[in-house]
Amino acid sequence: MIVTQSAASRTAEILSRPITLNGLTVPNRIVMAPMTRMFSPGGVPGDDVRSYYARRAAAGVGLIVTEGTYVGHPSAGQSDRVPRFHGEEQLAGWAKVVEDVHAAGGTIVPQLWHIGMVRNQGEPPYADAPAVGPSGIRVDGTEGAGQAMTQRDLDDVIGAFAEAAAAAERIGFDGIELHGAHGYLLDQFLWERTNRRDDGYGGDAVARTRFAAEIVAAVRAVVSSDFPVIFRYSQWKQEAYDARLAETPQELEAILAPLAAAGVDAFHASTRRYWLPEFDDSDLNLAGWTKKLTGRPTITVGSVGLDGDFLRALAGKGAELGSIDNLLDRMERDEFDMVAVGRALLQDPEWASKVLAGRIDEVKAYDGAALKTLS
Ligand SMILES: Cc1cc2nc3c(=O)[nH]c(=O)nc-3n(C[C@H](O)[C@H](O)[C@H](O)COP(=O)(O)O)c2cc1C
């Protein structure tokens, strides 16, 4: 790939601009996408996790969104190697991650996660905990593999997210991201196929959004007013790639408006290919529509700098490098504000510094091997 001087300075100009999310100023527009790595035995992020994140902060990533980390509810997870966001040792591990990322000049938010009906009973870290979700229905439609949440369960989970957010602020994180995407608990409420409730948490799009909005409000109530709350959501689900929450901008607005009103400062619209238009009659992608409908700063994501989407990566496949011209065009038009990068940053910790310096031709292609190690 040949990169001309003017293309290089255009890239730097667009991506190097600082941005403010509520009370947080991020030094540039590059976000590290949340990526589950499972290198935290006992749920405790250790020294290797510290250096993994700090290395990317030192090399120019403006904002790191950590891998999904379980909130303090027994049914939240399914692995003993995914970092937890509760417990003294676990939070002490996270505090050191924050310290190192800050020392490297970066900013960092944890992605707070509850997997809901994706859990299988008997899995760690709390083997006895049942799978729970809005209606006890899995994303693939299976019924009977878990429990519909009682009001008590709803209150407990809302409380767990609020506690995690308060802990995040206490130990020095710069904000939080709520994982409302990909078919996990919050998304199971948003999606009509997995949410069949008739108690005010199910029904139309606004009712299905109520649980997520109550979590946002509970978080907002326990953190400082300038502490940024980011909400990640998606149309697609891990086990249903073609699923959609909204077929029209109006349907999308019905979901996003209550979340924005509850106190979301920025949205992270997860797509697999950022260049695809989300609805008919407009070139805007999902992040573009999100910004247009809510007025909030928005993060885009999906195969940035690559030519193959990340499902190939989960199958162990690589991806060639792709141009980011389309991304820069969209940012110049103010379609969205920030760009999250996943696999390309796993493969090449120097990705951000190379791109910001206009040396995109030096970025390493993604070969899939980076998934297996933490470096
Ligand atoms: C190994 C791996 C783990 C991931 N884990 C998470 C996660 O914990 N939370 C999340 O919201 N998305 C997760 N994702 C999705 C990424 O955040 C991102 O949206 C996706 O990889 C597309 O970006 P990319 O094409 O730049 O890789 C994961 C992706 C990969 C490849």
Side-chain angles (χ1 to χ4, degrees), residues 33-36 68 111 179 182 232 301-303 310 341-343 371:
M35 281 176 287
T36 297
Q111 188 191 48
H179 194 342
H182 305 168
R232 191 176 221 216
V301 66
S303 304
F310 86 106
V341 179
R343 289 162 299 151
L371 274 186

Side-chain angles (χ1 to χ4, degrees), residues 167-184:
E169 185 169 26
R170 195 171 62 240
I171 64 177
F173 276 97
D174 297 294
I176 58 134
E177 176 170 285
L178 296 170
H179 194 342
H182 305 168
Y184 296 107

Side-chain angles (χ1 to χ4, degrees), residues 321-337:
L321 296 178
S323 154
I324 62 167
D325 288 348
N326 184 312
L327 178 85
L328 298 175
D329 291 345
R330 287 170 184 268
M331 289 189 87
E332 251 176 358
R333 292 198 296 266
D334 253 348
E335 180 176 332
F336 39 73
D337 302 277

Side-chain angles (χ1 to χ4, degrees), residues 51-313:
S51 50
Y52 162 76
Y53 286 120
R55 197 172 167 199
R56 279 143 182 99
V61 170
L63 173 66
I64 290 170
V65 182
T66 72
E67 60 207 288
T69 170
Y70 301 145
V71 297
H73 182 262
S75 302
Q78 64 179 165
S79 164
D80 200 37
R81 293 181 61 82
V82 165
R84 302 206 271 278
F85 214 80
H86 59 101
E88 209 172 309
E89 213 188 331
Q90 287 79 5
L91 291 174
W94 278 122
K96 290 179 186 160
V97 172
V98 174
E99 203 177 293
D100 286 7
V101 166
H102 285 168
T107 64
I108 181 166
V109 301
Q111 188 191 48
L112 304 181
W113 192 20
H114 192 304
I115 70 169
M117 289 300 301
V118 174
R119 178 177 162 74
N120 300 295
Q121 196 161 356
E123 284 176 330
Y126 305 106
D128 294 339
V132 297
S135 305
I137 301 170
R138 287 187 186 277
V139 170
D140 67 6
T142 314
E143 298 190 30
Q147 300 173 6
M149 290 169 76
T150 62
Q151 185 63 50
R152 166 95 194 267
D153 293 329
L154 299 178
D155 294 342
D156 286 349
V157 171
I158 292 170
F161 273 98
E163 252 176 55
E169 185 169 26
R170 195 171 62 240
I171 64 177
F173 276 97
D174 297 294
I176 58 134
E177 176 170 285
L178 296 170
H179 194 342
H182 305 168
Y184 296 107
L185 182 66
L186 274 54
D187 196 22
Q188 290 159 23
F189 272 84
L190 297 178
W191 197 34
E192 60 189 346
R193 291 247 311 261
T194 39
N195 182 347
R196 311 269 174 81
R197 298 177 77 96
D198 54 12
D199 63 350
Y201 288 94
D204 65 11
V206 173
R208 294 197 307 273
T209 307
R210 178 172 163 196
F211 181 57
E214 287 188 358
I215 289 174
V216 173
V219 163
R220 226 11 331 146
V222 296
V223 298
S224 303
S225 58
D226 63 352
F227 191 69
V229 174
I230 303 170
F231 192 92
R232 191 176 221 216
Y233 81 100
S234 63
Q235 299 257 41
W236 65 274
K237 326 283 163 222
Q238 195 71 43
E239 291 166 52
Y241 298 131
D242 297 327
R244 284 167 81 78
L245 293 177
E247 294 294 347
T248 63
Q250 291 71 28
E251 287 176 18
L252 185 60
E253 190 171 18
I255 294 166
L256 298 179
L259 294 170
V264 169
D265 296 303
F267 285 96
H268 189 171
S270 171
T271 51
R272 285 150 47 201
R273 301 176 206 91
Y274 74 84
W275 55 86
L276 296 182
E278 193 57 40
F279 302 114
D280 292 342
D281 305 325
S282 163
D283 193 36
L284 292 181
N285 75 4
L286 187 64
W289 275 108
T290 303
K291 179 167 168 141
K292 186 181 161 100
L293 294 170
T294 66
R296 297 289 190 279
T298 305
I299 306 168
T300 198
V301 66
S303 304
V304 171
L306 299 174
D307 78 343
D309 86 11
F310 86 106
L311 299 177
R312 291 166 48 89

